[in-house]
Amino acid sequence: MEKAELIWMNGKLVPWDEANVHVLSHGLHYGTGVFEGLRAYETEGGTAVFRHREHLERLVRSAQLYYLDLPYTVDELRSATHELIRRNGFTSCYIRPLAFRGYGEMGLYAQDAPIEMIVAVWEWGAYLGDDGKRNGVRAKVSSWRRISPQGLIPHAKASGQYLNSILAKTETARAGYDEAILLDERGLVCEGSGENIFLVRDGTLVTPPHTASILDGITRRSVIQIARDLGYTVVERDVARAELYLAEEVFLTGTAAELVPVREVDDHDLGEPGEITRHIQAKFEDAVCGRAEEYLEWLDVVEQPSKVTG
Ligand code: PPE
């Protein structure tokens, strides 16, 4: 990855190479951390973070689900992120807030290990490639099932949980595919390794519900609203695996990935990216770049210090 200049760490801006932790940090051993992924886009009104507050509020909820008390408020994190973007001089970037149990105590009930927090920003291009975003990706259903609510918390965006996504992604990448699709513990369609999933069936948009072990994606929520505003019907319901092969269109949504068409699932050809996918993808692009009046409220503009004149 390419370095930026500064990282925000426990309340201070520190040089990128000095944002280090002790090797006995709790989170490194047990995955006791929660994180977010956001993007800031260049818009006419300035650099803007897409749905900033919603992401930070999800971070707070993820922390609560694992009994982690965050030492900073949503407002403090929001201002810290604005300053970090400004000081690094980015007009667009990916943003990664992370809270984790740090160094001080080992074992599984380490209430005295401090909670540390960082926010990092860097440039992250198309997550599944420029070609994937344009022409669609080849996906495969992984043999690994998405973490079950009987053992973990699919609604939380927690560091340790990502071992599950990494197994699925590694398996399908080694088999030559671009992305993994995970089924839930019942064998119904859940999501991609780092994205939610949508299908078009008889002209209707379908996406798995909260009870299918999904992450409650903020891009998913945005796409549901955009699709409804464009006049499409969107249904949240269970999806059978074979429906992925029978669908007119399939696409993935996530902050890093944005909106990516799927052109193949398990070697079943779905063809070129479809009309509905294209329509929603274009509107989503307009929304994040500040070209859609009706979604301007989703953009949190990073204030620049007023120019000194005269
Ligand atoms: N499901 C999972 C498992 C997931 O990780 C993400 C985001 C989503 C769905 C979509 O959520 P949202 O970004 O709120 O629309 N994945 C993040 C991390 C990717 C990574 O490789 O790291 C992201 O897109 O930032």
Side-chain angles (χ1 to χ4, degrees):
M1 69 192 299
E2 264 198 45
K3 292 180 191 178
E5 216 173 298
L6 299 165
I7 287 178
W8 181 90
M9 187 173 189
N10 299 321
K12 292 191 195 76
L13 291 173
V14 300
W16 180 279
D17 286 328
E18 289 168 28
N20 302 316
V21 296
H22 198 277
V23 291
L24 293 178
S25 295
H26 197 270
L28 196 55
H29 294 247
Y30 306 110
T32 40
V34 294
F35 68 99
E36 270 304 318
L38 306 86
R39 274 187 190 274
Y41 293 88
E42 192 172 352
T43 77
E44 234 174 60
T47 300
V49 182
F50 186 66
R51 308 200 76 168
H52 201 173
R53 195 164 282 281
E54 289 90 332
H55 277 280
L56 293 176
E57 284 169 355
R58 187 172 66 184
L59 181 75
V60 170
R61 286 195 299 274
S62 294
Q64 285 166 348
L65 289 169
Y66 279 100
Y67 307 98
L68 303 171
D69 289 323
L70 295 190
Y72 298 94
T73 63
V74 163
D75 286 327
E76 287 167 337
L77 293 168
R78 176 173 168 265
S79 328
T81 303
H82 281 199
E83 177 162 21
L84 183 67
I85 293 171
R86 263 196 311 266
R87 294 282 298 273
N88 278 303
F90 283 127
T91 48
S92 65
C93 58
Y94 185 78
I95 305 163
R96 168 58 52 84
L98 166 72
F100 59 97
R101 267 208 197 279
Y103 166 65
E105 191 184 3
M106 277 295 166
L108 303 187
Y109 191 61
Q111 300 299 294
D112 290 332
I115 311 285
E116 304 214 33
M117 281 203 83
I118 65 112
V119 182
V121 292
W122 65 85
E123 285 183 74
W124 204 352
Y127 187 64
L128 298 175
D130 287 318
D131 181 64
K133 209 166 143 183
R134 233 185 343 262
N135 302 314
V137 294
R138 299 177 58 240
K140 176 154 182 60
V141 172
S142 169
S143 69
W144 297 99
R145 294 288 172 87
R146 164 86 169 150
I147 49 164
S148 155
Q150 299 184 64
L152 281 166
I153 311 174
H155 273 84
K157 198 166 169 63
S159 304
Q161 299 191 161
Y162 275 79
L163 282 175
N164 171 244
S165 325
I166 287 169
L167 279 175
K169 179 85 187 187
T170 305
E171 176 188 39
T172 52
R174 286 183 179 219
Y177 296 86
D178 303 312
E179 187 51 296
I181 295 171
L182 288 90
L183 307 179
D184 68 9
E185 85 278 14
R186 303 167 302 168
L188 301 172
V189 175
C190 176
E191 60 181 13
S193 72
E195 311 88 9
N196 292 109
I197 193 164
F198 286 80
L199 294 76
V200 178
R201 297 274 283 149
D202 301 321
T204 294
L205 282 146
V206 179
T207 192
H210 283 244
T211 43
S213 298
I214 63 164
L215 179 73
D216 181 3
I218 289 162
T219 320
R220 175 185 180 275
R221 283 178 180 248
S222 310
V223 159
I224 289 174
Q225 185 169 339
I226 287 171
R228 286 185 177 148
D229 291 347
L230 290 173
Y232 297 108
T233 304
V234 185
V235 182
E236 294 175 68
R237 67 150 172 89
D238 281 330
V239 174
R241 178 173 181 165
E243 292 192 85
L244 293 170
Y245 317 146
L246 298 166
E248 291 122 54
E249 303 178 27
V250 177
F251 62 85
L252 302 167
T253 64
T255 298
E258 302 177 296
L259 198 157
V260 174
V262 175
R263 67 181 157 88
E264 231 180 68
V265 182
D266 292 344
D267 305 312
H268 291 288
D269 188 15
L270 299 172
E272 303 274 296
E275 212 176 289
I276 297 176
T277 303
R278 284 284 181 238
H279 195 188
I280 297 169
Q281 189 182 39
K283 195 70 183 183
F284 178 76
E285 286 284 315
D286 287 345
V288 297
C289 292
R291 293 187 302 258
E293 194 75 35
E294 65 273 42
Y295 305 120
L296 282 181
E297 64 187 32
W298 286 346
L299 299 176
D300 179 28
V301 175
V302 178
E303 300 295 334
Q304 295 297 334
S306 46
K307 289 207 180 74
V308 182
T309 50

